[in-house]
Amino acid sequence: MPVEAPATKLSALEWSVVAIARNDRLSSLRAPSRLSVAMGGLFGARHNPRLADPKLEALRRMAVLSWHHGYTVPTSALTAFTDAGYTIAQYETLLGSIASARLARKPQA
């Protein structure tokens, strides 16, 4: 029997999550504090970049980390990414794309 290769591709929706995550701050990965929630109640809620779909949120979190830190993401983040249903091959595809985009936006000397 042929062995099935692990998934390496991301869907168009998943790539849009990666693109949007480019502008998310690392602080978007933390749960809002009680003070932040209270201030939001007083002055109006701030934009919450978290996604309702747990799998897409795991992708967003990995993309945010990768946009900010490249290949140096915590092991716990990689575990959460694969626990959400993504493969290591998809992680490598994601990182390759982000690395290429980061290089392309650097000014040429």
Side-chain angles (χ1 to χ4, degrees):
M1 291 180 77
V3 176
E4 197 171 309
T8 60
K9 297 182 180 183
L10 297 173
S11 70
L13 174 61
E14 290 168 327
W15 281 119
S16 67
V17 168
V18 173
I20 291 168
R22 183 178 195 167
N23 298 319
D24 287 350
R25 295 177 180 207
L26 286 170
S27 61
S28 73
L29 302 178
R30 293 189 298 270
S33 67
R34 287 192 288 173
L35 177 61
S36 176
V37 171
M39 296 299 275
L42 287 173
F43 300 108
R46 300 173 102 188
H47 170 70
N48 179 359
R50 291 194 176 110
L51 302 174
D53 182 279
K55 185 172 182 180
L56 291 177
E57 177 58 14
L59 174 63
R60 184 192 76 83
R61 295 175 71 78
M62 181 56 73
V64 169
L65 287 168
S66 298
W67 280 115
H68 287 276
H69 297 296
Y71 289 91
T72 54
V73 298
T75 303
S76 60
L78 184 55
T79 300
F81 183 73
T82 56
D83 286 351
Y86 291 101
T87 66
I88 295 298
Q90 286 172 313
Y91 169 68
E92 291 169 350
T93 299
L94 169 71
L95 283 176
S97 175
I98 288 174
S100 294
R102 290 174 79 196
L103 282 174
R105 76 176 179 189
K106 284 187 179 179
Q108 300 297 319

